[in-house]
Amino acid sequence: MGIVGVDIDHAASIIANGGVVAFPTETVYGLGANALNPNAVAKVFALKERPSFDPLIVHIASAESINLLSSSNDPRVFQLAERFWPGPLTIVVPKSTVVPGIVTSDLDTVGIRMPNHPIALELIKKSGCVIAAPSANKFGRVSPTRAEHVLKQLPEVDYILDGGRTTVGIESTVITLDEEGFIILRHGAITHSHLAQVLKPSGAHKPLKGLASPGLLKSHYSPNKPLYIAGETSKPIDPSRAGYIAFGKKPEGNYKRVEYLSETGDMVEAAAHLFEKIHAFEDSDVEYIVADPVPEVGIGIAIMDRLRKAAYRYK
């Protein structure tokens, strides 16, 4: 059984010695290993049951690590880092030769970010490693926003560093750059309008080689109970057997249980609570889950991306 604790020195020692640690970031909990140790990274893939074609994001504690991990010195990367790091933005850049192919699924690019969480940053510094870390859950399942969510899905992990509930609640925005500007690969809390304050968006819509970013599959974030989006399913719904994830307003129908993402319609609050509410229903006695759609503006684009991927397998 995995050990849950708050000993950062112990967690850092495990990472430094080739082990795997679940740790909090501001987005979700990550499952981390020394990114430059292929054997350690292989343990992450094995624990998650993650396919080898899905690349990992490398977490750093200093912008100087960009020079270690990237073969490019694009000044725009440092512009973005200065504005958004530490924070929930991953930048995909050409990788250097020190990055093992297992981290990047043998692509010639690597995703890098600096998490905005004191425990994560201290863990990276104390371990002396840059840390490759996907979300700390079984592949395709609901992302964890608490240590107990990790323990539920990955009890065999070497150590779970408990930092309480995460604040952002959904995975980082992932972008890549071309000659024109930025391209969003995965939506998150850093939105198109935030990025456009620093760089121009690219007009390119060309397909990228392979899966350049995590979270690009059609089915992802799925609970072990069917999840449907209100207004986007033709399945008959019996409210007395269902849990409802509400946004702002009370749902019509006598649902067995109702959980609110945000009673005031606050999008940031809704994102922070999304996975937590799905976990709560997954662990409850409801038979299936119905979720309110949210307006697809700003961070609402990221929320709906997660909901549609969570619901995809139950169509």
Side-chain angles (χ1 to χ4, degrees):
M1 192 66 150
I3 298 172
V4 180
V6 295
D7 189 339
I8 297 178
D9 289 325
H10 178 58
S13 176
I14 291 172
I15 294 283
N17 287 289
V20 178
V21 170
F23 65 97
T25 76
E26 79 279 27
T27 58
V28 299
Y29 274 72
L31 186 66
N34 178 357
L36 305 187
N37 180 337
N39 292 332
V41 174
K43 295 176 186 177
V44 172
F45 278 91
L47 280 167
K48 277 185 65 76
E49 300 172 4
R50 184 184 183 95
S52 61
F53 60 73
D54 205 9
L56 306 183
I57 291 168
V58 179
H59 294 67
I60 64 176
S62 167
E64 294 173 3
S65 295
I66 297 170
N67 295 321
L68 169 69
L69 299 169
S70 177
S71 62
S72 166
N73 59 356
D74 189 332
R76 297 175 300 171
V77 174
F78 293 90
Q79 272 183 274
L80 290 162
E82 184 176 357
R83 172 64 180 83
F84 296 111
W85 285 357
L89 177 68
T90 296
I91 308 171
V92 175
V93 297
K95 76 170 185 176
S96 72
T97 55
V98 305
V99 182
I102 189 173
V103 172
T104 67
S105 300
D106 286 327
L107 295 173
D108 56 8
T109 56
V110 61
I112 308 172
R113 94 173 184 98
M114 186 188 299
N116 187 17
H117 196 292
I119 292 176
L121 292 172
E122 190 174 353
L123 176 66
I124 297 165
K125 290 172 185 174
K126 287 191 169 183
S127 72
C129 305
V130 290
I131 295 179
S135 55
N137 54 283
K138 290 294 186 185
F139 181 73
R141 294 284 306 284
V142 187
S143 299
T145 57
R146 294 181 181 271
E148 51 263 40
H149 298 161
V150 181
L151 188 61
K152 177 175 72 171
Q153 294 192 40
L154 300 173
E156 63 273 40
V157 68
D158 293 329
Y159 192 70
I160 301 171
L161 194 53
D162 191 351
R165 184 171 70 83
T166 64
T167 53
V168 174
I170 56 173
E171 297 82 0
S172 62
T173 304
V174 181
I175 65 167
T176 189
L177 303 174
D178 67 7
E179 299 82 3
E180 295 181 44
F182 69 87
I183 302 168
I184 295 178
L185 303 178
R186 179 177 73 187
H187 289 276
I190 305 296
T191 66
H192 186 281
S193 61
H194 293 141
L195 294 163
Q197 293 171 16
V198 178
L199 291 180
K200 289 182 178 180
S202 171
H205 296 287
K206 61 187 177 186
L208 297 163
K209 177 186 175 185
L211 290 179
S213 161
L216 298 185
L217 297 173
K218 289 182 178 180
S219 179
H220 214 61
Y221 319 112
S222 298
N224 59 15
K225 294 176 180 176
L227 185 147
Y228 307 112
I229 300 171
E232 295 188 12
T233 180
S234 58
K235 298 285 178 72
I237 302 296
D238 179 355
S240 68
R241 297 161 55 196
Y244 198 95
I245 299 176
F247 178 69
K249 63 185 185 301
K250 184 178 179 180
E252 296 179 7
N254 188 23
Y255 281 85
K256 187 167 189 175
R257 181 172 167 185
V258 178
E259 294 278 352
Y260 286 88
L261 293 179
S262 171
E263 294 192 51
T264 61
D266 183 296
M267 291 280 217
V268 173
E269 183 184 12
H273 290 158
L274 178 63
F275 289 138
E276 184 176 25
K277 300 306 184 186
I278 295 175
H279 275 288
F281 279 139
E282 187 178 59
D283 298 337
S284 75
D285 61 351
V286 303
E287 294 181 36
Y288 46 90
I289 306 164
V290 181
D292 255 346
V294 305
E296 292 189 68
V297 293
I299 198 172
I301 297 171
I303 295 171
M304 289 307 298
D305 170 71
R306 274 42 171 207
L307 278 177
R308 289 197 177 108
K309 286 175 178 174
Y312 186 83
R313 65 184 285 199
Y314 300 114
K315 282 188 172 183

